[in-house]
Amino acid sequence: MLFLQISLLAVLLAAGDNEDAFQEEISFKMIHTSSFYNHSWVKIQNSAWLDDLQTHGWDTNSGRIIFLRPWSKGNLSKEEIKELEEFFHGLPMPQEIHRHASQWKFKYPFEIQITLGCELHPERAIVGIYGFAYQGSDLLQFQNNSWLPSPKGGTRAQDVSRVFNQYHVTKREV
Ligand SMILES: *[C@@H]1O[C@H](CO)[C@@H](O)[C@H](O)[C@H]1NC(C)=O
Ligand SMILES: *[C@@H]1O[C@H](CO)[C@@H](O)[C@H](O)[C@H]1NC(C)=O
Ligand SMILES: *[C@@H]1O[C@H](CO)[C@@H](O)[C@H](O)[C@H]1NC(C)=O
């Protein structure tokens, strides 16, 4: 579903441009940040960005998306918006992160960042962005229906990807 949304956005971005005006790549990214203060306290922030322009925010209390621009809703239906809200609500499975924190050597307090989105290149190629980072360093990239450890992530990235690849429902959603 999320992939459909992203594809849809890419279609919207592609519509109406003319060849001269569109020289550089354009990206749309949804950024999810979980700050794990201790074993029981997690602060969640979500936002979405069209290049450097923030298009969406997140109300932590209600778990609702905040539409920051008049056009931020695009043509998403109420149901599609609800699905996105539920998807973001479930990221990144805080219980799982708590449970594996010591195994993965995640030291409290730490920050997890998940980036989802796409880049539209001048030659019209669309590249998906699906990343998982710990303390600002890339650990995993989502490719070809599975989580791949980043080369610089070491054994930690390999351990995390092994566990994440067992969550088939999440993989399908991504
Ligand atoms: C966890 O961190 C929060 C925020 O800093 C603090 O209010 C809370 O008391 C902490 N809980 C424990 C069990 O340390
Ligand atoms: C939204 O717009 C896209 C692109 O124009 C179109 O393909 C899609 O069917 C539209 N979706 C809805 C729910 O209207
Ligand atoms: C994607 O995964 C399939 C099945 O595991 C494999 O056959 C294919 O070669 C992979 N493609 C790439 C680009 O890695």
Side-chain angles (χ1 to χ4, degrees):
M1 196 66 231
L2 198 66
F3 178 72
L4 288 179
Q5 317 281 5
I6 292 167
S7 314
L8 168 73
L9 200 105
V11 169
L12 292 178
L13 288 178
D17 74 290
N18 69 56
E19 300 296 331
D20 296 331
F22 182 35
Q23 301 287 349
E24 288 173 26
E25 64 194 41
I26 301 171
S27 69
F28 178 70
K29 289 181 191 151
M30 295 176 274
I31 301 177
H32 167 98
T33 306
S34 298
S35 305
F36 290 79
Y37 288 90
N38 52 41
H39 292 269
S40 53
W41 216 79
V42 183
K43 189 177 147 212
I44 289 174
Q45 288 169 291
N46 291 308
S47 59
W49 303 78
L50 191 60
D51 283 338
D52 295 335
L53 181 72
Q54 188 177 359
T55 56
H56 302 77
W58 177 259
D59 180 348
T60 316
N61 294 325
S62 64
R64 309 293 295 271
I65 295 170
I66 301 167
F67 297 91
L68 296 175
R69 313 282 158 193
W71 40 265
S72 290
K73 263 187 195 163
N75 65 355
L76 293 178
S77 67
K78 273 199 182 118
E79 247 164 51
E80 288 168 327
I81 290 168
K82 203 154 162 258
E83 271 178 46
L84 274 170
E85 286 170 342
E86 282 166 9
F87 179 81
F88 276 96
H89 202 71
L91 282 175
M93 303 173 290
Q95 327 77 286
E96 295 304 315
I97 302 278
H98 281 307
R99 192 178 327 144
H100 292 93
S102 65
Q103 177 195 342
W104 294 338
K105 300 185 177 65
F106 287 176
K107 292 202 185 74
Y108 294 95
F110 61 86
E111 199 173 271
I112 293 294
Q113 208 167 62
I114 296 175
T115 307
L116 297 163
C118 63
E119 278 173 2
L120 184 64
H121 291 261
E123 68 281 13
R124 305 280 175 113
I126 298 170
V127 179
I129 304 168
Y130 309 90
F132 181 96
Y134 166 74
Q135 298 290 57
S137 329
D138 289 337
L139 274 193
L140 311 176
Q141 297 291 331
F142 194 79
Q143 266 175 34
N144 201 17
N145 295 319
S146 47
W147 291 102
L148 294 182
S150 300
K152 286 183 189 158
T155 52
R156 172 192 274 148
Q158 287 163 16
D159 289 348
V160 179
S161 71
R162 200 171 307 125
V163 171
F164 275 30
N165 280 322
Q166 290 163 10
Y167 297 119
H168 299 291
V169 174
T170 312
K171 283 200 318 191
R172 205 161 47 230
E173 282 177 333
V174 172

